[in-house]
Amino acid sequence: MKTILVTGGAGFIGSNFVKLMLNKHPDYKIINVDALTYAGNLENLVDIKDNKNYEFIKADIRDRAKIEEIFAENDIMFVVNFAAESHVDRSIEEPEVFLTTNILGTQVLLDTAKKYWKINPTDKYCKKYKEGVKFLQVSTDEVYGALGDTGMFVETMPLKPNSPYSASKASADLIVRAYNETFCLPVNITRCSNNYGPYQFPEKLIPLMINNCTNEKDLPVYGDGMQIRDWLHVSDHCNAIDVVLQKGKDGEVYNIGGNNEKANIEIVNLLIKSLGKSTDLIKYVKDRPGHDRRYAIDNTKITTELGWEPAYTFEEGMAETIEWYIANKEWMENVLSGEYSSYYEKMYL
Ligand code: NAD
Ligand code: DAU
């Protein structure tokens, strides 16, 4: 049985990944380490909480002693690092936690993996690791910065992050790369475009707009609403991560995306139409500072070299997602109580 340490597995993508992996690989054990910040929610995992191949440990990836204890007690083969502060607007308000979690937390995980995976633990310069181990860093297309009207992100582009969030993710990518170059630690980095799907925290565009539409509240569109994002269903992202885990070549970076470029206002109009509401709800608000205009992923490398393809069309994925949020009002209500309501008031009211 292979043991995977998944960090941030109580968040949006991490919880979808944990469930997908338990279902797809009954011979894997998943250890989910999550600090349960405002974005971590164990309700996302209720259906698998008693699975014998699953264990949850509440811990912070910056806590070196705890992370070492977890490695000492378990024969971990793969680390998949989702744990992060993930919301751009919050990073503009309070950048520091983005730097400590996203950069230093990643470095704690790398150090510990290096220590426990070395073949000869007493040899400081040992560059040989246990057979088959891998550290997979879940990164983002935002590390490339913003595109103009044309072009796409390719893996060889220089990193030009624009927000404190994306700068912290880019820094983490560079430290992961350095551990591969300097210590030969087996790593991959994935850079995915915007995800949508079930269990996304409603500070992000799609669940926020669905919730506001449902409750006939204003739909806050930043700037002119013509910024473009390249959308991918979360289960396609999770499957791509599994493919990279199994087949990714050592040290390589893989972009993940499904060629679904949409302007924000198109998304908002689609949601309004699907939910039978009026465009009068749209309220153009002050733009996000440093707002990236356009993202678009060139997925040639992962599709041609590793054979991954998205399963969802955008239309199917969005229809299913809207249905999920309508059917899971209680999940939304529980998430909306507490810390989120004061964040929402501060940002929008
Ligand atoms: P999320 O905010 O929903 O979840 C993040 C999780 O990490 C939460 O469960 C939180 O409790 C946990 N966490 C935060 N700080 C921690 C710490 N110090 N120690 C342990 N756990 C901690 O985020 P998400 O949208 O699921 O994103 C997951 C990862 O995927 C992130 O690394 C993000 O950069 C990346 N990513 C996200 C998208 C997207 O569209 N959402 C796209 C590409 C890449
Ligand atoms: O591209 C991948 C990234 O996608 C991930 O790395 C991030 O973790 C994830 O949060 C996401 O970042 P974005 O900033 O693109 O996502 P967000 O949902 O915050 O915003 C999507 C777009 O919608 C963006 O152009 C800003 C706009 N927006 C967002 C909100 C919350 C609005 O116009 N109004 C809003 O209220």
Side-chain angles (χ1 to χ4, degrees):
M1 176 159 286
K2 278 187 184 162
T3 301
I4 312 186
L5 177 65
V6 174
T7 69
F12 164 47
I13 307 174
S15 61
N16 277 284
F17 181 76
V18 166
K19 287 185 268 193
L20 175 115
M21 293 299 276
L22 286 171
N23 192 27
K24 203 167 158 187
H25 301 285
D27 54 332
Y28 283 9
K29 179 178 177 191
I30 309 273
I31 300 177
N32 174 13
V33 167
D34 197 297
L36 298 183
T37 67
Y38 77 92
N41 184 357
L42 290 179
E43 228 183 298
N44 299 356
L45 296 155
V46 274
D47 25 331
I48 52 97
K49 73 177 185 358
D50 297 324
N51 187 309
K52 65 179 180 4
N53 291 344
Y54 171 72
E55 184 184 349
F56 174 72
I57 301 174
K58 183 173 186 295
D60 193 308
I61 59 166
R62 294 166 293 186
D63 182 346
R64 189 177 288 271
K66 187 68 190 172
I67 298 299
E68 289 222 4
E69 185 188 305
I70 295 166
F71 269 84
E73 287 173 0
N74 297 280
D75 185 16
I76 291 163
M77 282 291 287
F78 296 141
V79 174
V80 183
N81 183 26
F82 290 96
E85 289 293 333
S86 69
H87 192 38
V88 175
D89 294 326
R90 286 184 190 253
S91 82
I92 296 165
E93 293 295 301
E94 281 175 48
E96 190 165 321
V97 68
F98 284 74
L99 273 57
T100 61
T101 283
N102 299 2
I103 308 171
L104 297 178
T106 300
Q107 194 245 336
V108 166
L109 293 169
L110 286 165
D111 263 353
T112 316
K114 176 162 82 66
K115 179 170 167 184
Y116 282 86
W117 287 349
K118 269 197 227 174
I119 282 183
N120 182 355
T122 57
D123 177 0
K124 194 171 160 197
Y125 301 106
C126 172
K127 289 182 173 176
K128 291 221 162 25
Y129 297 92
K130 288 184 195 168
E131 184 65 32
V133 295
K134 182 180 284 190
F135 187 101
L136 192 149
Q137 174 70 2
V138 181
S139 185
T140 166
D141 61 354
E142 298 200 10
V143 297
Y144 297 117
L147 293 164
D149 291 343
T150 57
M152 294 181 120
F153 295 136
V154 288
E155 289 85 349
T156 48
M157 270 181 173
L159 306 187
K160 277 176 77 181
N162 292 320
S163 70
Y165 161 70
S166 54
S168 70
K169 294 294 288 186
S171 306
D173 284 15
L174 295 181
I175 195 78
V176 171
R177 180 182 181 279
Y179 272 61
N180 181 254
E181 289 289 328
T182 304
F183 306 114
C184 302
L185 189 75
V187 308
N188 282 128
I189 296 172
T190 57
R191 295 187 182 138
C192 189
S193 57
N194 285 61
N195 284 211
Y196 67 93
Y199 302 105
Q200 187 167 30
F201 197 84
E203 65 191 349
K204 308 281 165 58
L205 180 75
I206 290 176
L208 185 146
M209 295 296 174
I210 294 176
N211 183 52
N212 285 16
C213 251
T214 315
N215 295 301
E216 307 261 343
K217 280 164 63 179
D218 286 349
L219 306 177
V221 174
Y222 297 166
D224 63 1
M226 291 307 290
Q227 302 82 6
I228 289 173
R229 296 294 181 265
D230 187 353
W231 294 94
L232 185 73
H233 193 277
V234 63
S235 80
D236 282 327
H237 183 191
C238 293
N239 267 306
I241 291 172
D242 185 31
V243 167
V244 175
L245 212 45
Q246 314 295 336
K247 300 203 274 184
K249 293 194 197 89
D250 183 32
E252 293 294 318
V253 176
Y254 295 94
N255 281 352
I256 305 172
N259 300 313
N260 290 306
E261 285 184 55
K262 307 279 173 211
N264 294 337
I265 194 68
E266 280 182 75
I267 300 276
V268 173
N269 280 322
L270 168 76
L271 296 172
I272 289 173
K273 197 166 167 215
S274 307
L275 293 163
K277 301 293 176 182
S278 158
T279 50
D280 292 346
L281 289 175
I282 294 174
K283 185 179 173 199
Y284 288 93
V285 297
K286 198 161 130 323
D287 208 354
R288 171 186 280 176
H291 200 170
D292 288 337
R293 193 69 182 167
R294 175 172 164 260
Y295 302 148
I297 280 276
D298 181 336
N299 67 9
T300 308
K301 184 170 173 181
I302 191 169
T303 53
T304 57
E305 292 184 16
L306 305 187
W308 170 84
E309 272 185 12
Y312 276 94
T313 65
F314 180 73
E315 291 68 28
E316 285 164 355
M318 279 299 284
E320 202 182 287
T321 299
I322 296 166
E323 264 173 46
W324 188 88
Y325 284 99
I326 292 170
N328 288 276
K329 285 207 174 77
E330 207 181 312
W331 177 89
M332 183 66 92
E333 277 158 23
N334 291 345
V335 168
L336 289 174
S337 59
E339 194 269 350
Y340 180 73
S341 54
S342 49
Y343 164 81
Y344 193 86
E345 272 174 32
K346 187 172 147 200
M347 292 299 289
Y348 295 102
L349 301 179

